[in-house]
């Protein structure tokens, strides 16, 4: 039996040696005979080799590395000061702190610190009685074995009942904590690695979805815009074409810029996705053809081409409308000018009996109404041009103002022609007046009819009569004017002629007028401008007489004098005005 035991122990020792463990001064017999010292030495060698030797911390290994690990784990606890593997573990606080994450604490001790440092949920460190070494150590042993799977290799007395705990025993036990927490750290590292990779893939997935959605939206928006422009039409008005121009300008300053920015952002996003995948050695992202950067790049030139075409369409439409507005205005303006020119020619060519002329002119006056309507259309066409910012027109030389002025002239000519013929009819019917008298009275009426209304006001009537040598007081003139208004409706040419007929027949004769002029001339056979002014004739009457009476050139050289003014031959004027008996 001893031989068999020796063979078995020898196989074990050979296996230990094959693992690189060097055993000195121990053989199978020592183990069979129970040489406690040699056996304990071998056990320590095994513990040191398989439990402690592979411990490393910041370049330190075995004992130094394990000590540094304990110091770092318990550093946040001021009451715990690990300096060795004997005295520092007597109070049990250090064991409890090891599983507690770092927080600043004002009251910490030693043995429970190891557990509390990593698993704060297992020990309420703040509630520990820091002076109860036995209780703290026993609690650390129980928690470590029950919850951390660390077997209790020591007794409480091995730490608390001796002055100096066995260093090798403490190292062996503490090494179990190191390996237990290292396994936990490795598991956490694996979890973190998986979680990190999952986060990476999730972020890539989110970025890919975001890229694809945004690419799809951008492509759809661009295609929709291109189709919209292709199917767009104009209604032929400048206002609509201009509104389309405004919308196009707004598109370029807002929507287009948003798309340019989005396109650049999508290119950057796609590049960032690929860079992130390459960084972690992952397969590159290959989007579907409809979401690829190539699809975006191929659609962009199509958008730019459609945009350029739309711009040309709008500009061409605006130019076409402006040209049509110019031609329309020119057509109306030239047409009215031609009508006015023909009308003036027809008006000047009127001949025949006065009544026929009168009828023809009244008909022509009615023909002016369509021309007035045409001028209104021209004004509307001009406003359309102004609304379209058309200020010059190369298709015509006429403006609305030109045509309006010409139409007013024609209207005035018609009115004057009508009055002239009416006056001629009145004059023709005055058989008791000489032609010279009719001419003189007509010229007098026209001269004082300043506003060309074919009527005379009170002051105009007084001046006209005075110019003919017929002077009334203001009261008499008012009465005469009122009588004419009541009888004829106004002081018209007919009323003026009839008044003069009455005056010349009943009151005034050629001889009476000669006597009147001799009185004014102070018996001279001529009268001067000063004489007329001294006779208190009105300024209008004096002006009329000086313009229409012949000069007395035989009396004074030149017929004028600086002191007397014009020298007038009233005798000859009266002879010409009155028919000889």
């Amino acid at each position: 039996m001893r031989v068999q035991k020796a063979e078995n122990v020898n196989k074990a020792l050979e296996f230990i040696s094959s693992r690189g463990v060097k055993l000195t001064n121990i053989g199978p017999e020592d183990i069979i005979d129970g040489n406690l010292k040699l056996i304990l030495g071998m056990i320590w060698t095994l513990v040191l080799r398989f439990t402690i030797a592979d411990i490393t911390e910041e370049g330190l290994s075995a004992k130094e590395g394990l000590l540094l690990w304990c110091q770092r784990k318990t550093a946040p606890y001021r009451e715990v000061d690990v300096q060795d593997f004997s005295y520092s573990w007597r109070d049990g606080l250090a064991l409890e702190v090891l599983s507690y994450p770092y927080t600043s604490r004002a009251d910490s001790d030693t043995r429970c610190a190891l557990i509390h440092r990593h698993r704060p949920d297992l020990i309420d460190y703040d509630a520990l009685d820091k002076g109860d070494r036995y209780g703290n150590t026993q609690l650390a042993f129980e928690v470590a074995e029950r919850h951390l799977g660390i077997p209790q290799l020591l007794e409480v007395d091995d730490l608390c009942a001796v002055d100096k705990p066995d260093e090798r025993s403490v190292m062996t036990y503490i090494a179990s904590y190191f390996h237990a927490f290292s396994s936990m750290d490795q598991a956490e590292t694996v979890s973190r690695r998986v979680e990190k990779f999952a986060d990476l893939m999730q972020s890539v997935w989110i970025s890919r979805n975001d890229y694809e959605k945004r690419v799809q939206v951008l492509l759809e928006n661009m295609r929709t815009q291109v189709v919209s422009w292709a199917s767009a039409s104009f209604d032929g008005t400048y206002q609509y074409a201009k509104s389309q121009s405004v919308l196009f300008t707004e598109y370029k300053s807002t929507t287009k810029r948003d798309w340019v920015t989005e396109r650049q952002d999508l290119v950057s996003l796609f590049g960032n996705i690929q860079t992130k995948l390459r960084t972690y050695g992952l397969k590159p992202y290959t989007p579907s053809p409809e979401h690829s950067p190539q699809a975006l790049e191929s659609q962009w030139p199509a958008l730019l081409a459609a945009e350029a075409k739309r711009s040309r369409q709008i500009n061409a439409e605006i130019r076409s409308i402006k040209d049509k507005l110019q031609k329309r205005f020119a057509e109306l303006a030239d047409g009215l000018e031609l009508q006015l020119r023909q009308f003036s020619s027809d008006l000047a060519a009127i001949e025949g009996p006065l009544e026929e002329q009168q009828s023809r002119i009244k008909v022509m006056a009615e023909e002016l109404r369509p021309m007035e309507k045409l001028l209104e259309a021209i004004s509307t066409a001009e406003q359309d041009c102004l609304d379209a910012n058309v200020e010059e027109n190369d298709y015509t030389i006429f403006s609305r103002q030109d045509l309006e002025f010409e139409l007013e002239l024609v209207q005035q000519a018609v009115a004057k022609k009508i009055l002239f013929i009416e006056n001629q009819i009145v004059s023709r019917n005055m058989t008791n007046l000489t032609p010279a008298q009719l001419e003189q009275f007509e010229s007098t009426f026209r001269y004082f009819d300043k506003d060309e209304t074919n009527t005379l006001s009170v002051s105009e009537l007084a001046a006209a009569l005075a110019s003919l040598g017929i002077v009334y007081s203001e009261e008499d003139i008012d009465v005469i004017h009122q009588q004419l208004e009541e009888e004829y409706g106004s002081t018209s040419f007919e009323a003026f002629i009839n008044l003069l007929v009455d005056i010349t027949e009943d009151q005034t004769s050629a001889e009476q007028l000669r006597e009147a002029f001799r009185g004014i001339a102070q018996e001279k056979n001529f009268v001067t401008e000063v004489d007329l002014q001294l006779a208190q004739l009105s300024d209008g009457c004096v002006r009329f007489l000086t313009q229409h009476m012949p000069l007395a050139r035989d009396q004074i050289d030149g017929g004028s004098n600086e002191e007397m003014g014009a020298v007038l031959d009233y005798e000859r004027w009266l002879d010409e005005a009155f028919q000889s008996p």
Side-chain angles (χ1 to χ4, degrees), residues 163-202:
D163 293 334
K164 182 181 180 182
D166 181 67
E167 183 179 56
R168 292 182 178 181
S169 299
V170 173
M171 284 181 62
T172 302
Y173 185 61
I174 297 303
S176 300
Y177 280 83
F178 175 86
H179 289 296
F181 292 138
S182 294
S183 298
M184 293 174 58
D185 290 342
Q186 290 176 0
E188 291 177 0
T189 300
V190 171
S191 298
R192 284 196 301 271
R193 183 176 293 114
V194 172
E195 184 177 4
K196 182 178 180 181
F197 181 76
D199 290 343
L200 169 64
M201 296 305 293
Q202 184 180 19

Side-chain angles (χ1 to χ4, degrees), residues 458-515:
V458 175
S459 60
E460 290 173 343
L461 177 61
L465 292 175
S467 69
L468 297 173
I470 305 172
V471 181
Y472 290 99
S473 65
E474 292 183 2
E475 293 79 4
D476 292 339
I477 284 294
D478 289 338
V479 172
I480 293 172
H481 188 271
Q482 185 176 358
Q483 290 175 347
L484 295 177
E485 291 281 340
E486 292 175 355
E487 184 175 355
Y488 296 97
S490 64
T491 310
S492 62
F493 178 73
E494 182 182 4
F496 181 71
I497 292 296
N498 287 327
L499 174 64
L500 290 176
V501 168
D502 293 340
I503 292 174
T504 54
E505 285 182 349
D506 299 338
Q507 299 177 6
T508 304
S509 65
E511 190 59 34
Q512 287 175 324
L513 288 173
R514 282 191 177 89
E515 289 298 325

Side-chain angles (χ1 to χ4, degrees), residues 294-305:
Q294 292 75 18
L296 185 61
E297 291 304 316
S298 63
Q299 182 61 36
W300 193 257
L303 175 68
L304 297 181

Side-chain angles (χ1 to χ4, degrees), residues 113-349:
L114 277 178
I115 298 175
H116 193 263
R117 181 69 173 86
H118 287 84
R119 292 289 303 275
D121 58 306
L122 300 179
I123 295 177
D124 185 358
Y125 186 81
D126 293 332
L128 294 176
D129 181 359
K130 306 306 188 290
D132 185 5
R133 295 188 296 130
Y134 285 87
N136 293 338
T137 302
Q138 183 62 43
L139 177 62
F141 285 161
E142 293 175 358
V143 170
E145 186 171 19
R146 185 181 308 115
H147 296 286
L148 302 179
I150 299 175
Q152 183 177 339
L153 303 179
L154 302 175
E155 297 294 335
V156 175
D157 290 339
D158 293 335
L159 295 178
C160 300
V162 295
D163 293 334
K164 182 181 180 182
D166 181 67
E167 183 179 56
R168 292 182 178 181
S169 299
V170 173
M171 284 181 62
T172 302
Y173 185 61
I174 297 303
S176 300
Y177 280 83
F178 175 86
H179 289 296
F181 292 138
S182 294
S183 298
M184 293 174 58
D185 290 342
Q186 290 176 0
E188 291 177 0
T189 300
V190 171
S191 298
R192 284 196 301 271
R193 183 176 293 114
V194 172
E195 184 177 4
K196 182 178 180 181
F197 181 76
D199 290 343
L200 169 64
M201 296 305 293
Q202 184 180 19
S203 68
V204 171
W205 181 82
I206 292 174
S207 297
R208 286 174 51 180
N209 283 348
D210 182 42
Y211 169 80
E212 292 177 1
K213 289 179 180 179
R214 289 167 62 183
V215 165
Q216 183 175 356
V217 170
L218 180 57
L219 288 173
E220 288 179 354
N221 288 339
M222 290 193 296
R223 293 187 185 110
T224 300
Q225 184 65 76
V226 170
V227 172
S228 175
W229 284 337
S231 60
S233 60
F234 298 94
D235 65 357
T237 64
Y238 175 80
Q239 288 74 15
Y240 183 79
K242 188 62 178 178
S243 68
Q244 293 302 302
S245 177
V246 171
L247 290 176
F248 185 76
T249 301
E250 182 179 353
Y251 151 79
K252 293 194 66 176
S253 62
T254 55
T255 305
K256 171 70 176 301
R257 293 183 181 180
D258 292 340
W259 290 352
V260 171
T261 302
E262 179 70 356
R263 171 172 168 262
Q264 186 61 43
D265 290 345
L266 287 172
V267 171
S268 298
L269 177 59
F270 182 81
N272 292 340
I273 294 174
Q274 300 295 51
T275 299
K276 183 179 290 187
L277 293 174
R278 283 195 299 270
T279 300
Y280 291 93
L282 301 176
K283 292 173 58 178
Y285 166 51
T286 304
S288 59
E290 61 270 18
H291 296 137
S292 65
Q294 292 75 18
L296 185 61
E297 291 304 316
S298 63
Q299 182 61 36
W300 193 257
L303 175 68
L304 297 181
E307 182 181 310
K309 182 178 180 180
R310 181 59 176 172
S311 178
R312 291 193 297 269
Q313 287 177 340
I314 294 174
N315 293 334
E317 180 69 13
I318 291 177
R319 287 193 299 269
S320 175
I321 291 174
K322 287 184 176 182
D323 188 68
K324 290 178 181 178
L325 291 175
Q326 289 176 311
K327 289 181 178 179
R328 171 63 176 164
F329 178 86
E331 178 183 353
L332 294 174
D334 292 347
L336 179 57
E337 194 279 334
L338 179 61
Q339 292 183 39
L340 290 173
R341 186 152 33 93
Q342 184 63 44
F343 188 92
S344 298
S345 299
D346 295 343
L347 182 64

Side-chain angles (χ1 to χ4, degrees), residues 7-57:
E7 289 179 356
N8 292 337
V9 172
N10 189 57
K11 288 182 178 180
L13 293 177
E14 288 177 354
F15 174 78
I16 293 173
S17 298
S18 67
R19 296 298 301 272
V21 179
K22 186 177 181 180
L23 299 176
T24 305
N25 298 326
I26 187 171
E29 296 80 4
D30 298 320
I31 296 175
I32 294 173
D33 294 339
N35 189 329
L36 185 59
K37 182 177 181 180
L38 293 178
I39 292 173
L40 290 175
M42 183 188 67
I43 292 174
W44 171 247
T45 299
L46 295 175
V47 170
L48 187 63
R49 171 63 182 83
F50 294 105
T51 304
I52 300 176
D54 59 349
I55 295 176
T56 60
E57 186 76 13

Side-chain angles (χ1 to χ4, degrees), residues 532-551:
L532 296 175
Q533 293 172 349
L534 292 176
Q536 296 184 349
L537 299 179
S538 67
D539 292 341
C541 180
V542 172
R543 185 164 52 253
F544 175 78
L545 292 174
T546 56
Q547 291 177 354
H548 291 81
M549 292 176 69
L551 297 176

